[in-house]
Amino acid sequence: MKPRALNYSLPIKIKTMAIISIVFHSGLGHTKVLAEKIQEGARSVNGNEVSLLEIKGEDVSNGQWKNETITGKLDASDAIIFGCPTYMGSASAVFKAFLESAFYPWLDQRWKEKVAAGFTNSASQSGDKLNTLVDLQVFASQMGMVWIPLGDLPTNNYSEGSIRTVNRLGSFMGVMAQSNADQSFDATPSDGDRLTALRFGAHVAKATQRWIGQAVYQTERHNEEQWKLLEKERIGEATIHSK
């Protein structure tokens, strides 16, 4: 008997609204500030439903995380933006427990071809935050998701740079932010980090709309000198001199 041919042709449905979930863990509130700014940015793009889903330690029992309500909302999302603090050079333990709980969505391929993105925060300028973003991107790849990088050039890698400008830590894989260890989330992350998160939310929202066939948009493109000049003008500082 001939094996039955599998039909991979599914009807294409054009969605009228992009469902975006920002799922995050925040130890002292600094990472939550980023999550809220990302939500604000995503909501600034018309046609999106954007939710904040906080991963909490109270949902971890015997090292295993479980919250069916959050998992169900993630299953229904078109895009999932993952965020957590960087502790000891990697993602927080609570968030790792959440990631490990995705075994069954992975087994059922429930998150395949959803849009994914990531953000993190630490007290140190580096703190090995890149390792956390790599962890999140590898996780998204295992889930079969489509990763969206930051998309903004760095602005603090020259003598006239400022912590008030976008992508001041020079990240490309996702949002990196830094919060001083002796300050609360009211004062830190910096204005530049918050603006980076805001722009990132809008960037992921637009990319999601394009991915699901909801909208087409013109990609913003600037060369390095144009981008630096725009940022200097925005914060009211002197014009950058051309090289």
Side-chain angles (χ1 to χ4, degrees), residues 86-119:
T86 294
Y87 293 152
M88 303 304 292
S90 62
S92 58
V94 173
F95 204 71
K96 285 180 180 176
F98 155 71
L99 295 178
E100 289 181 9
S101 75
F103 172 75
Y104 290 104
W106 169 79
L107 196 62
D108 297 335
Q109 296 284 274
R110 300 206 299 263
W111 297 0
K112 185 176 182 178
E113 295 190 359
K114 295 181 185 293
V115 168
F119 61 100

Side-chain angles (χ1 to χ4, degrees), residues 160-236:
E160 294 179 314
S162 169
I163 66 169
R164 293 186 290 157
T165 54
V166 174
N167 195 16
R168 56 119 176 178
L169 293 179
S171 176
F172 295 94
M173 190 172 290
V175 173
M176 286 186 186
Q178 181 264 333
S179 299
N180 294 329
D182 61 343
Q183 290 182 299
S184 74
F185 59 83
D186 293 324
T188 186
S190 70
D191 290 344
D193 292 344
R194 293 172 191 237
L195 181 58
T196 303
L198 182 78
R199 285 179 55 85
F200 186 61
H203 174 58
V204 175
K206 291 175 182 177
T208 302
Q209 288 183 344
R210 173 182 281 182
W211 179 250
I212 67 174
Q214 178 186 345
V216 176
Y217 73 98
Q218 182 65 43
T219 301
E220 180 186 76
R221 291 187 174 94
H222 302 293
N223 65 32
E224 186 180 26
E225 287 301 319
Q226 291 171 332
W227 176 243
K228 288 178 179 178
L229 180 59
L230 286 171
E231 281 299 282
K232 296 286 282 189
E233 290 177 343
R234 181 184 61 78
I235 63 176

Side-chain angles (χ1 to χ4, degrees), residues 130-166:
L130 178 60
N131 191 54
T132 299
L133 291 179
V134 169
D135 283 347
L136 297 179
Q137 188 182 41
V138 169
F139 168 80
S141 297
Q142 289 203 350
M143 301 299 288
M145 305 175 79
V146 180
W147 187 263
I148 304 297
L150 182 63
D152 278 327
L153 291 171
T155 55
N156 196 27
N157 55 355
Y158 60 102
S159 61
E160 294 179 314
S162 169
I163 66 169
R164 293 186 290 157
T165 54
V166 174

